[in-house]
Amino acid sequence: MEENGKKVTRRKFLEAGIGVITGAIAVGLGGTALTSIGAPAITNKREGKWVEAGNASELADGQFHKIGITYDAKDGWLEGKVKQLVYVKVNGEEVFALSATCTHLGCNVNFDEQSGNFKCPCHSGVYDATGENVSGPPTHSLAKLEAKVEDGKLMINTALKEA
Ligand code: FES
């Protein structure tokens, strides 16, 4: 075999080929690593903390209330304030809470009184009153959150639970 007038041995040809393949793999892995570092931290896994979300007596029993909670959070190396919308339904001392974040691409769902379902305005995802996905692109239910009434205050735990 000849290259630029020089004789290339079979061994050198194979070594060059291996070098090219190794380089391509390294670029591929590097690209993946950079993508991961550059990507926003979208994760449901985070340490939960109890957050006070107002007076429970101000919430009418048996209906959903959209409540915004804000808290400090740390996710990997990211730290900052998290604002989260939660739907809460109080029945006496019992509290049912769902994340308002659509599991498709993260828009906030709205509760539709007429149908009794949560509807996502972005791509028409629909969830029933328990948070179960019933139609549209979402393949997962809305995340549930632990919630309780303590000393008259509505308390919400920020840890998201799979529905
Ligand atoms: S973000 Fe809700 S259906 Fe797409």
Side-chain angles (χ1 to χ4, degrees):
M1 217 180 297
E2 277 193 24
E3 185 179 280
N4 297 333
K6 293 181 184 171
K7 199 167 186 171
V8 178
T9 64
R10 184 184 169 104
R11 181 186 180 105
K12 285 208 184 260
F13 178 77
L14 288 174
E15 284 174 358
I18 290 170
V20 168
I21 292 168
T22 307
I25 291 170
V27 168
L29 290 176
T32 302
L34 289 177
T35 303
S36 299
I37 290 168
I42 300 172
T43 175
N44 282 347
K45 292 176 185 168
R46 62 172 176 243
E47 233 175 76
K49 62 167 77 171
W50 287 97
V51 176
E52 190 184 310
N55 292 323
S57 61
E58 294 171 10
L59 304 173
D61 266 17
Q63 55 187 268
F64 279 109
H65 301 274
K66 192 192 257 184
I67 293 175
I69 56 174
T70 304
Y71 55 93
D72 295 318
K74 186 175 179 193
D75 192 352
W77 68 91
L78 297 174
E79 282 183 62
K81 292 244 180 266
V82 173
K83 291 182 178 181
Q84 187 178 348
L85 283 176
V86 178
Y87 277 96
V88 173
K89 187 191 262 188
V90 180
N91 279 317
E93 290 294 306
E94 237 176 73
V95 187
F96 176 67
L98 287 171
S99 166
T101 304
C102 180
T103 58
H104 178 224
L105 292 177
C107 293
N108 286 320
V109 299
N110 298 310
F111 185 68
D112 178 47
E113 295 281 347
Q114 258 188 334
S115 64
N117 289 327
F118 293 96
K119 294 184 174 177
C120 181
C122 294
H123 312 102
S124 307
V126 179
Y127 304 86
D128 69 15
T130 67
E132 197 72 31
N133 57 312
V134 290
S135 68
T139 56
H140 294 81
S141 304
L142 294 173
K144 291 186 170 81
L145 295 99
E146 265 187 88
K148 62 186 176 183
V149 176
E150 202 172 81
D151 298 328
K153 302 283 183 197
L154 174 64
M155 303 295 292
I156 297 174
N157 192 300
T158 61
L160 301 176
K161 298 183 178 304
E162 293 291 324

